[in-house]
Amino acid sequence: MHVLVIGSGGREHALCWGVARSPLATRLSCCPGNGGIANLAECVDIGVENFDDIVAYCHQEKVEFVIVGPEVPLVAGLVDQLEQEGVLAFGPSQRAAILEGSKVFTKTLCRKHNIPTAAYDVFQDIDLARTYILDRGAPIVVKANGLAAGKGAIVCETTDEALVVAENVLGGQFGEAGSEIVVEQFLVGEEASFFALCDGRNALPLATAQDHKAAFDNDKGPNTGGMGAYSPAPVMSEEMCQKTMERIILPTMRAMEQDGRPFKGLLYAGLMITDRGPQLIEYNVRFGDPECQVLLARWQSDPLAALLAAAKGQLAGYEVTWSQRAALTVVMAAKGYPGDYVKGSEIKGITAAEAEIGVSVLHAGTVREGQRLLANGGRVLGVTAQGVDIREARDRAYQGVDAIDWPGGFCRRDIGWRALDRDK
Ligand code: AMP
């Protein structure tokens, strides 16, 4: 089977890594890919938003299965277009991808179906938002309704800050994505990610994982796309996973099916584990990065077979097996990220890093120029390691990091601290 992966980040490198080891895949391509993916797949220079060229490539090269990584083409309807053209694809339709594309849609669904989430209201009008914010007090969270490249949710420590943020977002800071805002209660607890593979009707929970969003050690600094992750996540006990399935994932699946938008693909719930149990912070309709890297490291059965079963509506009774070992990823980012950063600095030492036991280096933002490997994004590498437990995986991952020679980069030195603190 010729498989095509869409995207160019660490998530897509991890997906290619999973597909490449499947006996079902005889050929693997990636649009557009990156400097690391090029070692596993044929990288094709077509952008993820160029649907017509993607479809043409599928026909020309007889692609039989497409795995769509990022949210933007999903929300814009790439899976619908592929399926109309007779190409099987993994990912939700445009009508189902609205779970990530519109926070107002998701919050309304939660309210209607009693799915636990922060108390909220929706505003298009700044005067009404102001009254609500002053009435509720801080801390409080302001969110743009639409996609805003992960920057559209702002936790505000004071009401003054919330008023300024609400004004800016409604005033066009994120363009059309902020023409409506959700203002919601600040939830207290530990954050966790929950992933389920879905086939429109059935949902199959995957292994647990947790990421670190803050840029710097001790969870300080601005929010990022993720500076590291580990699996399993001790906060997601079996009981917590069961509650998440019963109270959040399964009611969502039923509601989407009833609404004529069955959800197929990967449903990723961002959770806050509170003293009243799991609460939904947000849905994503695709794998998260770097969590995808630790999940694929522990995925023991054939990942491609599982994604195919989801796309074909055949998940009933399906099982995925996981390695008992732990996995941990340390993200290496360009200095300055998540603010302004410089592209083009040279990275050396990847081979030395991968010579460390249990270490794989996945690329999130790199490009090859002749023999040289250059940084080409904010988050650039994911150094992923496995070990008997989180501690061993962490020690190995940092041995890998220390073997990489990249003066233009930085990483957090405390990935996994929450899990390790629990053992004390
Ligand atoms: P989102 O884009 O909705 O996942 O929000 C980004 C980040 O903001 C989350 O990962 C949380 O750290 C934080 N956040 C969002 N909503 C809330 C909330 N209601 N209470 C506390 N933190 C939140």
Side-chain angles (χ1 to χ4, degrees), residues 126 133-134 137-142 153-169 173 181 183:
I126 186 61
I133 289 166
L134 292 174
I140 195 161
V141 188
V142 179
I154 300 126
V155 176
C156 303
E157 301 298 338
T158 63
T159 49
D160 282 350
E161 186 189 350
L163 293 175
V164 172
V165 168
E167 246 168 64
N168 289 343
V169 178
Q173 184 186 0
I181 57 171
V183 182

Side-chain angles (χ1 to χ4, degrees), residues 103 141 143 153 155 184-187 191 223 272 281-282:
K103 295 209 189 287
V141 188
K143 299 183 175 184
V155 176
E184 72 179 25
Q185 168 204 13
F186 176 79
L187 294 171
E191 274 189 73
N223 240 353
M272 189 69 84
I281 296 181
E282 65 157 357

